[in-house]
């Protein structure tokens, strides 16, 4: 298939440190165990749907799993937790225009309590579901616990890092 491996082997399997170069130009460099990515490494995506993306972090059984940073080819960056190749748990998603979301993710999408700061610095606190803010909060208490006041809204974060309102 055109994949080339340079690294440590054990009983004919990739094990330890190594580098894979794929036929599409992508690479993985890092830890291997039992012939798969396991541990820490850097995955650079070659030609295809995710071309130019670069992930640096933890892997489990060839999947992005644990703490890691994804730098997307469109200059959006995610720094946080991953599970099964999806953003999962607490993370920070930042856009090149200065907008930033800090909060919880589930299934790859903004899901849970978080705050979105748009490019002007205006903050949108609240409860988010699949990228849409469904409840908003007005403040945090002294221990940084979120206070949700229960007012319903229908905002969402678009691909440009802007908070838009559903009509």
């Amino acid at each position: 298939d055109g994949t080339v491996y340079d690294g440590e082997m054990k009983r004919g399997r990739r094990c330890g440190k190594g580098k894979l170069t794929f036929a599409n130009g992508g690479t993985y460099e890092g830890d291997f165990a039992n012939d798969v990515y396991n541990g820490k490494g850097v995955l650079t995506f070659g030609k295809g749907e995710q071309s130019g993306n670069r992930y640096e972090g933890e892997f489990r059984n060839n999947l992005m799993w644990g703490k890691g940073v994804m730098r997307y080819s469109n200059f959006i960056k995610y720094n946080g937790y991953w599970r099964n190749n999806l953003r999962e748990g607490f993370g920070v998603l930042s856009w090149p225009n200065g907008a930033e979301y800090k909060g919880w993710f589930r299934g790859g999408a903004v899901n849970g309590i978080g705050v979105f700061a748009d490019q002007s610095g205006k903050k949108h606190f609240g409860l988010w579901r699949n990228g849409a803010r469904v409840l908003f909060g007005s403040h945090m208490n002294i221990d940084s616990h979120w206070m949700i006041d229960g007012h319903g809204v229908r905002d969402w974060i678009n691909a440009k890092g802007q908070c838009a309102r559903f009509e």
Side-chain angles (χ1 to χ4, degrees), residues 7-127:
E8 299 171 357
M9 302 281 286
K10 186 176 183 180
R11 293 185 218 151
R13 300 180 76 135
R14 295 177 286 232
C15 191
K17 301 284 185 194
K19 181 178 181 178
L20 270 177
T21 303
F22 304 102
N24 70 359
T27 60
Y28 170 79
E29 188 165 4
D31 299 329
F32 288 86
N34 296 318
D35 225 27
V36 295
Y37 324 148
N38 264 314
K40 293 184 179 180
V42 177
L43 180 63
T44 304
F45 295 83
K47 294 177 187 170
E49 186 178 313
Q50 296 192 48
S51 179
N53 293 349
R54 182 179 188 274
Y55 172 82
E56 183 171 355
E58 298 172 345
F59 290 86
R60 181 192 291 179
N61 296 322
N62 277 353
L63 299 171
M64 295 178 285
W65 199 300
K67 182 95 170 89
V69 177
M70 176 71 85
R71 296 177 191 281
Y72 297 95
S73 61
N74 60 2
F75 305 105
I76 293 173
K77 177 177 123 178
Y78 173 76
N79 184 352
Y81 288 88
W82 296 79
R83 183 176 181 180
N84 207 22
N85 281 347
L86 297 172
R87 297 180 291 232
E88 187 80 23
F90 187 83
V92 178
L93 188 61
S94 48
W95 286 263
N97 66 3
E100 182 176 82
Y101 170 83
K102 288 182 182 179
W104 293 92
F105 292 78
R106 187 175 60 200
V110 170
N111 270 300
I113 295 174
V115 59
F116 173 75
D118 64 26
Q119 64 269 26
S120 72
K122 181 178 178 188
K123 294 185 177 177
H124 307 263
F125 297 93
L127 177 65

Side-chain angles (χ1 to χ4, degrees), residues 87-164:
R87 297 180 291 232
E88 187 80 23
F90 187 83
V92 178
L93 188 61
S94 48
W95 286 263
N97 66 3
E100 182 176 82
Y101 170 83
K102 288 182 182 179
W104 293 92
F105 292 78
R106 187 175 60 200
V110 170
N111 270 300
I113 295 174
V115 59
F116 173 75
D118 64 26
Q119 64 269 26
S120 72
K122 181 178 178 188
K123 294 185 177 177
H124 307 263
F125 297 93
L127 177 65
W128 302 79
R129 289 228 170 85
N130 296 319
R133 185 169 60 150
V134 294
L135 291 173
F136 70 89
S138 56
H139 61 282
M140 294 188 320
N141 70 13
I142 195 111
D143 298 320
S144 296
H145 294 284
W146 294 97
M147 304 296 288
I148 302 296
D149 64 13
H151 290 85
V153 295
R154 295 193 29 93
D155 293 343
W156 61 282
I157 303 170
N158 68 23
K160 293 180 181 178
Q162 300 165 330
C163 196

